[in-house]
Structure formats: C-alpha cells, structure tokens
Amino acid sequence: MSTRARPAPPPTEPRRRRVQSAEMGMGILKALAALGGAASLTAVAQAVGESTAKVHRYMASLVEQDLVAQEPLSQRYFLGQAAIHIGLAALRQCDPIRAGEPALVRLQAELGVTCFIAVMGNQGPTILRIEEPALPVVVNVRAGSVLPLLWSATGQVFLAHAEGGTLDAQMLQEWERATPAQKALVPRKTAIAALREQVRAQGCASVQGLLSAGISAVAAPIRQHTGQVAAVLTALGASGGFDAAPAGRIATRVRQEAEGISAALGFVG
C-alpha cells in the first residue's frame, strides 16, 4: 500500500472568488488614492483596467463599508471615513527611525562607511541610530551626539528645509562662535542663503573637512507624508576614500535610500 502524501487540493472556487474580490477592492482603493482621493467612475475603471460596470459593482460594496463615498452633485467617488481612519492609524505608526533601519544597515554594508539617522532635537540635530563599519572612522559621533547646523551635512539639510526662520537664531550663534577657517568657507551675509538653496537644489548636503579635518559627509532629507523633513540620513568617512560629490555614488545612494524611507512614511513627491 502506497504511503505517498497526496498533494493538497486546489483552492475551492468560492475561496478563489473571495481572494479575487479582495484584490479588486484593494485595487480600486489604491487607484482612488493615486488619483488624488476623488475621481469619476470612468477614471477609476481606466486606472484598474476594468469595465465601468464591474467597477461600479465593487464601488457599491465599498460604499456600504464606508471605505468609499460619493458626491451627490458630481457623482465622483472619494475615500470614505473608514479609509481615512485606516490611513490615520497607519500614519500614527510612522517612525523615521524604525522605517529607516533596514535602509541604514543596507547603506552601511554597501558603502563601508559610517551611516546614521538624526532628528531635530531641542539643542540641534541629534543622532538617534548609527551603523558603523568594522573599522569605524575616528570621529566623535555616536547615538545622542548633537551636530551643528552650519558645519555638518546633517545640520545643513535641516537648515535648508526649516520653515519660518525657526533655526536662524541658532545658526547665527554658531557662526559667531566659528573658527576663522569656518567663517571663510561660509560667510554669513553672502553665502548662507545660497547654501540653503544649493542643498535644496541638490537634494543633499555635502561637506569636506568643515566639521572635522579629514572627514567628509553627505546627507539627504527624510520626509513625512506632509513633505516636512522628519529626519536626515547621513553617510560619513575619511576624506581620502570618500567621494562627497553631490553627483557621486555615495550621495546618489544616500538620496535613493532617503527617498525610499520617505515613501514608507507616506510621502509622495
């Protein structure tokens, strides 16, 4: 008598239909979100590649569940209260450190340099999570370290994207305390505004020996769903083997990983 295990039976037809229905419903919700949160039935049908009649049947079910609602006058569909509550619950879980940890580890392993994520604290940009190579660069940064606004790539990113001049007083205090060499590199009245614009245009900040002699760094913004900068991703290393050029490989990878973290936080841009 054979004892071979029999293969598992294929899914039943009702189960298959339920899975397909769930996929279709999720596809419609995703299409509405991609279309700005509100759209006509025709636009949604085109986005999901189905007939308007089929999409209309699914819309009726989504309306019953309060995941979608319809404007009486325009007849356009938009995301309902239940969908909004789901989105808000997801946003409350968004943490740039938690979302950025996989990218941070990946970036450090790929580039072989020190990488960290910093947020804006009461005293300035503060490192919260850091990954170092087997032979770390001799530089006095660790979790909890506070960095300057003007003389670090991390600080320059926060400074470039600050709203309403909230960091101006701290920035000017730093400039007053700076060494003559630092002041020569960033003259207050002629270069600070240009520095901010340059960082925004490049999508990253790049410094070479500005904070510590022989140390270079590049940093890029991590944005939350509103577009505001929630944190900054930074890579640093010894200048001799560290390409800090804004168009270089390191800066490109830092920007890419920062953009991926931003997308995980809900930023679309």
Side-chain angles (χ1 to χ4, degrees), residues 225-262:
H225 69 284
T226 60
Q228 292 181 321
V229 174
V232 171
L233 176 64
T234 303
L236 64 81
S239 297
F242 189 99
D243 178 12
R249 173 172 172 263
I250 294 177
T252 298
R253 288 294 295 118
V254 170
R255 283 194 300 266
Q256 290 171 344
E257 292 291 0
E259 289 167 1
I261 301 169
S262 299

Side-chain angles (χ1 to χ4, degrees), residues 148-169:
L149 291 171
L150 281 174
W151 320 120
S152 69
T154 307
Q156 288 183 6
V157 172
F158 279 116
L159 185 61
H161 297 280
E163 297 180 357
T166 55
L167 300 179
D168 285 359

Side-chain angles (χ1 to χ4, degrees), residues 11 18 27 41 55 65 74 160 175 188-189 197-198 209 238 267:
R18 288 197 299 270
L41 180 64
V55 172
Q65 297 299 319
S74 68
W175 193 90
R188 177 174 55 185
K189 294 183 179 180
E197 181 58 34
Q198 181 181 12
F267 176 67

Side-chain angles (χ1 to χ4, degrees), residues 59-229:
M59 281 292 194
S61 297
L62 293 171
V63 169
E64 288 182 2
Q65 297 299 319
D66 205 20
L67 289 166
V68 172
Q70 189 177 27
E71 295 174 349
L73 296 179
S74 68
Q75 297 296 300
R76 298 205 315 164
Y77 291 93
F78 60 95
L79 295 173
Q81 286 295 321
I84 292 172
H85 292 159
I86 292 171
L88 290 174
L91 286 175
R92 284 193 290 270
Q93 297 178 18
C94 288
D95 176 1
I97 306 302
R98 181 172 59 184
E101 280 188 344
L104 188 65
V105 173
R106 183 168 55 246
L107 193 64
Q108 186 282 316
E110 178 183 336
L111 300 178
V113 298
T114 298
C115 300
F116 59 81
I117 296 176
V119 300
M120 180 56 67
N122 292 333
Q123 298 180 351
T126 305
I127 298 174
L128 291 189
R129 181 74 165 79
I130 187 168
E131 284 288 329
E132 294 183 297
L135 296 175
V137 175
V138 181
V139 59
N140 191 27
V141 294
R142 58 182 60 87
S145 294
V146 178
L147 303 171
L149 291 171
L150 281 174
W151 320 120
S152 69
T154 307
Q156 288 183 6
V157 172
F158 279 116
L159 185 61
H161 297 280
E163 297 180 357
T166 55
L167 300 179
D168 285 359
Q170 182 179 344
M171 172 195 67
L172 292 176
Q173 289 176 2
E174 285 184 6
W175 193 90
E176 295 294 345
R177 297 193 301 265
T179 66
Q182 288 175 326
K183 288 183 178 180
L185 291 171
V186 185
R188 177 174 55 185
K189 294 183 179 180
T190 59
I192 290 177
L195 173 64
R196 283 172 151 165
E197 181 58 34
Q198 181 181 12
V199 171
R200 289 193 292 266
Q202 293 174 169
C204 68
S206 170
V207 301
Q208 299 182 56
L210 194 57
L211 177 59
S212 299
I215 300 297
S216 296
V218 294
I222 296 172
R223 299 178 184 274
Q224 56 189 9
H225 69 284
T226 60
Q228 292 181 321
V229 174

